[in-house]
Amino acid sequence: MSVGTFFKEFCVINTLECNAFKYWKDIEIGNEVRFKVYAEQEKDNEDVDFDKDLIRVVLEKNGKDSIIGMLPKEESKIMRDILKNGWNTFFSGTICKVDEKAPYDQRISVAVYIQKMTKAISKNNLLIIL
């Protein structure tokens, strides 16, 4: 995925609750991550059902998605409505800090980028820019 326009850097919180340390050896600076909203109907064994308003940070390794944490509340507010409306590719992310000695909610940071939307489709009488 292309880098896009830099938006903001966020600490990844709730890493302990999301069991990110099961994947610690796979979490490296430069790894691409995706963002998703909590969806009850899509809940799997990896997601937790608290803090449903927080954006999940997803790392894909070996074809498997792993939730490694969440974005903080204020940052999640900024992105949630966009993601809830199906614009899942509007944001991309890259792990930019990994520090196992930092406090839990400061061990991982992600740089978030806004992607240029280059394709438009019509769906249910709405114009969707992709």
Side-chain angles (χ1 to χ4, degrees), residues 23 26-28 31-35 57-68 93 95:
Y23 316 106
D26 296 324
I27 299 172
E28 300 173 348
N31 286 141
E32 289 185 10
V33 293
R34 290 183 295 106
F35 305 101
V57 179
V58 181
L59 175 69
E60 189 240 314
K61 277 294 188 185
N62 302 321
K64 184 176 186 290
D65 287 344
S66 302
I67 297 170
I68 60 169
I95 294 176

mmCIF file of all heavy atoms in Angstrom, residues 23 26-28 31-35 57-68 93 95:
data_model
loop_
_atom_site.group_PDB
_atom_site.id
_atom_site.type_symbol
_atom_site.label_atom_id
_atom_site.label_comp_id
_atom_site.label_asym_id
_atom_site.label_seq_id
_atom_site.Cartn_x
_atom_site.Cartn_y
_atom_site.Cartn_z
ATOM 1 N N TYR A 23 2.246 -11.769 20.157
ATOM 2 C CA TYR A 23 2.765 -11.492 18.811
ATOM 3 C C TYR A 23 3.989 -10.587 18.860
ATOM 4 O O TYR A 23 4.397 -10.052 17.835
ATOM 5 C CB TYR A 23 1.673 -10.825 17.963
ATOM 6 C CG TYR A 23 0.327 -11.485 18.119
ATOM 7 C CD1 TYR A 23 -0.683 -10.875 18.862
ATOM 8 C CD2 TYR A 23 0.080 -12.736 17.571
ATOM 9 C CE1 TYR A 23 -1.914 -11.493 19.029
ATOM 10 C CE2 TYR A 23 -1.150 -13.352 17.740
ATOM 11 C CZ TYR A 23 -2.134 -12.729 18.465
ATOM 12 O OH TYR A 23 -3.335 -13.340 18.635
ATOM 13 N N ASP A 26 6.614 -10.589 16.265
ATOM 14 C CA ASP A 26 6.175 -10.191 14.926
ATOM 15 C C ASP A 26 5.949 -8.692 14.788
ATOM 16 O O ASP A 26 5.767 -8.189 13.690
ATOM 17 C CB ASP A 26 4.865 -10.903 14.560
ATOM 18 C CG ASP A 26 5.039 -12.407 14.461
ATOM 19 O OD1 ASP A 26 6.106 -12.851 14.009
ATOM 20 O OD2 ASP A 26 4.107 -13.129 14.853
ATOM 21 N N ILE A 27 5.937 -7.977 15.913
ATOM 22 C CA ILE A 27 5.664 -6.537 15.896
ATOM 23 C C ILE A 27 6.988 -5.804 15.713
ATOM 24 O O ILE A 27 7.833 -5.791 16.595
ATOM 25 C CB ILE A 27 4.952 -6.094 17.189
ATOM 26 C CG1 ILE A 27 3.613 -6.817 17.320
ATOM 27 C CG2 ILE A 27 4.773 -4.582 17.207
ATOM 28 C CD1 ILE A 27 2.920 -6.604 18.651
ATOM 29 N N GLU A 28 7.152 -5.214 14.523
ATOM 30 C CA GLU A 28 8.406 -4.541 14.190
ATOM 31 C C GLU A 28 8.129 -3.176 13.572
ATOM 32 O O GLU A 28 7.094 -2.981 12.928
ATOM 33 C CB GLU A 28 9.200 -5.363 13.181
ATOM 34 C CG GLU A 28 9.569 -6.750 13.658
ATOM 35 C CD GLU A 28 10.217 -7.592 12.572
ATOM 36 O OE1 GLU A 28 10.170 -7.186 11.384
ATOM 37 O OE2 GLU A 28 10.772 -8.641 12.907
ATOM 38 N N ASN A 31 6.141 -2.470 10.081
ATOM 39 C CA ASN A 31 4.990 -3.335 9.785
ATOM 40 C C ASN A 31 3.778 -2.478 9.445
ATOM 41 O O ASN A 31 3.501 -1.496 10.130
ATOM 42 C CB ASN A 31 4.599 -4.209 10.975
ATOM 43 C CG ASN A 31 5.534 -5.366 11.247
ATOM 44 O OD1 ASN A 31 5.783 -5.652 12.400
ATOM 45 N ND2 ASN A 31 6.034 -6.016 10.247
ATOM 46 N N GLU A 32 3.062 -2.877 8.410
ATOM 47 C CA GLU A 32 1.805 -2.210 8.087
ATOM 48 C C GLU A 32 0.703 -2.744 8.995
ATOM 49 O O GLU A 32 0.697 -3.928 9.337
ATOM 50 C CB GLU A 32 1.429 -2.440 6.626
ATOM 51 C CG GLU A 32 2.311 -1.694 5.667
ATOM 52 C CD GLU A 32 1.851 -1.825 4.226
ATOM 53 O OE1 GLU A 32 0.739 -2.348 3.978
ATOM 54 O OE2 GLU A 32 2.604 -1.407 3.350
ATOM 55 N N VAL A 33 -0.198 -1.866 9.390
ATOM 56 C CA VAL A 33 -1.358 -2.251 10.193
ATOM 57 C C VAL A 33 -2.610 -1.688 9.540
ATOM 58 O O VAL A 33 -2.548 -0.766 8.726
ATOM 59 C CB VAL A 33 -1.253 -1.751 11.660
ATOM 60 C CG1 VAL A 33 -0.118 -2.449 12.391
ATOM 61 C CG2 VAL A 33 -1.098 -0.247 11.736
ATOM 62 N N ARG A 34 -3.736 -2.274 9.892
ATOM 63 C CA ARG A 34 -5.036 -1.787 9.449
ATOM 64 C C ARG A 34 -5.818 -1.365 10.679
ATOM 65 O O ARG A 34 -5.462 -1.710 11.808
ATOM 66 C CB ARG A 34 -5.814 -2.889 8.723
ATOM 67 C CG ARG A 34 -5.250 -3.259 7.396
ATOM 68 C CD ARG A 34 -6.097 -4.312 6.664
ATOM 69 N NE ARG A 34 -6.135 -5.592 7.355
ATOM 70 C CZ ARG A 34 -7.162 -6.077 8.040
ATOM 71 N NH1 ARG A 34 -8.282 -5.398 8.160
ATOM 72 N NH2 ARG A 34 -7.117 -7.254 8.639
ATOM 73 N N PHE A 35 -6.898 -0.663 10.452
ATOM 74 C CA PHE A 35 -7.749 -0.195 11.530
ATOM 75 C C PHE A 35 -9.160 -0.681 11.280
ATOM 76 O O PHE A 35 -9.616 -0.721 10.143
ATOM 77 C CB PHE A 35 -7.729 1.336 11.599
ATOM 78 C CG PHE A 35 -6.326 1.878 11.727
ATOM 79 C CD1 PHE A 35 -5.670 2.401 10.630
ATOM 80 C CD2 PHE A 35 -5.657 1.823 12.938
ATOM 81 C CE1 PHE A 35 -4.378 2.880 10.727
ATOM 82 C CE2 PHE A 35 -4.354 2.301 13.044
ATOM 83 C CZ PHE A 35 -3.718 2.833 11.947
ATOM 84 N N VAL A 57 -6.445 -1.916 16.282
ATOM 85 C CA VAL A 57 -5.241 -1.905 15.443
ATOM 86 C C VAL A 57 -4.952 -3.361 15.096
ATOM 87 O O VAL A 57 -4.775 -4.194 15.986
ATOM 88 C CB VAL A 57 -4.044 -1.271 16.176
ATOM 89 C CG1 VAL A 57 -2.805 -1.291 15.298
ATOM 90 C CG2 VAL A 57 -4.372 0.151 16.609
ATOM 91 N N VAL A 58 -4.937 -3.660 13.799
ATOM 92 C CA VAL A 58 -4.833 -5.040 13.333
ATOM 93 C C VAL A 58 -3.523 -5.245 12.588
ATOM 94 O O VAL A 58 -3.208 -4.516 11.648
ATOM 95 C CB VAL A 58 -6.014 -5.381 12.389
ATOM 96 C CG1 VAL A 58 -5.927 -6.822 11.905
ATOM 97 C CG2 VAL A 58 -7.348 -5.115 13.073
ATOM 98 N N LEU A 59 -2.780 -6.251 13.009
ATOM 99 C CA LEU A 59 -1.540 -6.654 12.352
ATOM 100 C C LEU A 59 -1.803 -7.978 11.657
ATOM 101 O O LEU A 59 -2.340 -8.900 12.265
ATOM 102 C CB LEU A 59 -0.419 -6.820 13.382
ATOM 103 C CG LEU A 59 0.915 -7.348 12.873
ATOM 104 C CD1 LEU A 59 1.596 -6.310 11.975
ATOM 105 C CD2 LEU A 59 1.821 -7.716 14.035
ATOM 106 N N GLU A 60 -1.445 -8.065 10.384
ATOM 107 C CA GLU A 60 -1.629 -9.313 9.650
ATOM 108 C C GLU A 60 -0.278 -9.993 9.498
ATOM 109 O O GLU A 60 0.679 -9.403 9.014
ATOM 110 C CB GLU A 60 -2.246 -9.052 8.280
ATOM 111 C CG GLU A 60 -2.664 -10.320 7.580
ATOM 112 C CD GLU A 60 -1.972 -10.531 6.262
ATOM 113 O OE1 GLU A 60 -1.877 -9.594 5.471
ATOM 114 O OE2 GLU A 60 -1.509 -11.654 6.061
ATOM 115 N N LYS A 61 -0.203 -11.232 9.971
ATOM 116 C CA LYS A 61 1.012 -12.037 9.844
ATOM 117 C C LYS A 61 0.620 -13.438 9.417
ATOM 118 O O LYS A 61 -0.273 -14.042 10.009
ATOM 119 C CB LYS A 61 1.778 -12.116 11.177
ATOM 120 C CG LYS A 61 2.662 -10.935 11.436
ATOM 121 C CD LYS A 61 3.776 -10.880 10.433
ATOM 122 C CE LYS A 61 4.775 -9.830 10.787
ATOM 123 N NZ LYS A 61 5.801 -9.659 9.809
ATOM 124 N N ASN A 62 1.280 -13.932 8.401
ATOM 125 C CA ASN A 62 1.032 -15.291 7.907
ATOM 126 C C ASN A 62 -0.442 -15.528 7.579
ATOM 127 O O ASN A 62 -0.992 -16.579 7.885
ATOM 128 C CB ASN A 62 1.519 -16.331 8.916
ATOM 129 C CG ASN A 62 2.996 -16.176 9.219
ATOM 130 O OD1 ASN A 62 3.789 -15.884 8.323
ATOM 131 N ND2 ASN A 62 3.367 -16.356 10.470
ATOM 132 N N GLY A 63 -1.092 -14.514 7.001
ATOM 133 C CA GLY A 63 -2.486 -14.638 6.589
ATOM 134 C C GLY A 63 -3.493 -14.561 7.722
ATOM 135 O O GLY A 63 -4.687 -14.759 7.501
ATOM 136 N N LYS A 64 -3.056 -14.269 8.934
ATOM 137 C CA LYS A 64 -3.962 -14.202 10.083
ATOM 138 C C LYS A 64 -3.960 -12.789 10.658
ATOM 139 O O LYS A 64 -2.905 -12.206 10.863
ATOM 140 C CB LYS A 64 -3.502 -15.194 11.149
ATOM 141 C CG LYS A 64 -4.427 -15.275 12.340
ATOM 142 C CD LYS A 64 -3.947 -16.364 13.296
ATOM 143 C CE LYS A 64 -4.908 -16.586 14.421
ATOM 144 N NZ LYS A 64 -5.021 -15.556 15.393
ATOM 145 N N ASP A 65 -5.160 -12.256 10.909
ATOM 146 C CA ASP A 65 -5.293 -10.943 11.526
ATOM 147 C C ASP A 65 -5.208 -11.071 13.035
ATOM 148 O O ASP A 65 -5.861 -11.933 13.630
ATOM 149 C CB ASP A 65 -6.640 -10.298 11.168
ATOM 150 C CG ASP A 65 -6.681 -9.817 9.732
ATOM 151 O OD1 ASP A 65 -5.613 -9.698 9.114
ATOM 152 O OD2 ASP A 65 -7.786 -9.556 9.247
ATOM 153 N N SER A 66 -4.409 -10.211 13.660
ATOM 154 C CA SER A 66 -4.266 -10.196 15.106
ATOM 155 C C SER A 66 -4.471 -8.774 15.600
ATOM 156 O O SER A 66 -3.815 -7.851 15.121
ATOM 157 C CB SER A 66 -2.869 -10.663 15.516
ATOM 158 O OG SER A 66 -2.619 -11.957 15.020
ATOM 159 N N ILE A 67 -5.390 -8.596 16.533
ATOM 160 C CA ILE A 67 -5.609 -7.281 17.135
ATOM 161 C C ILE A 67 -4.528 -7.091 18.184
ATOM 162 O O ILE A 67 -4.428 -7.867 19.134
ATOM 163 C CB ILE A 67 -7.013 -7.181 17.746
ATOM 164 C CG1 ILE A 67 -8.065 -7.317 16.641
ATOM 165 C CG2 ILE A 67 -7.175 -5.870 18.515
ATOM 166 C CD1 ILE A 67 -9.473 -7.466 17.140
ATOM 167 N N ILE A 68 -3.695 -6.063 17.992
ATOM 168 C CA ILE A 68 -2.577 -5.839 18.905
ATOM 169 C C ILE A 68 -2.841 -4.699 19.887
ATOM 170 O O ILE A 68 -2.008 -4.423 20.738
ATOM 171 C CB ILE A 68 -1.261 -5.599 18.143
ATOM 172 C CG1 ILE A 68 -1.367 -4.371 17.235
ATOM 173 C CG2 ILE A 68 -0.870 -6.840 17.363
ATOM 174 C CD1 ILE A 68 -0.033 -3.925 16.653
ATOM 175 N N GLY A 93 -1.726 2.426 8.176
ATOM 176 C CA GLY A 93 -0.849 2.673 9.303
ATOM 177 C C GLY A 93 0.429 1.866 9.222
ATOM 178 O O GLY A 93 0.481 0.826 8.574
ATOM 179 N N ILE A 95 3.715 0.706 11.921
ATOM 180 C CA ILE A 95 4.291 0.741 13.261
ATOM 181 C C ILE A 95 5.563 1.575 13.203
ATOM 182 O O ILE A 95 6.440 1.322 12.374
ATOM 183 C CB ILE A 95 4.567 -0.674 13.782
ATOM 184 C CG1 ILE A 95 3.237 -1.416 13.963
ATOM 185 C CG2 ILE A 95 5.352 -0.629 15.100
ATOM 186 C CD1 ILE A 95 3.370 -2.860 14.373
#
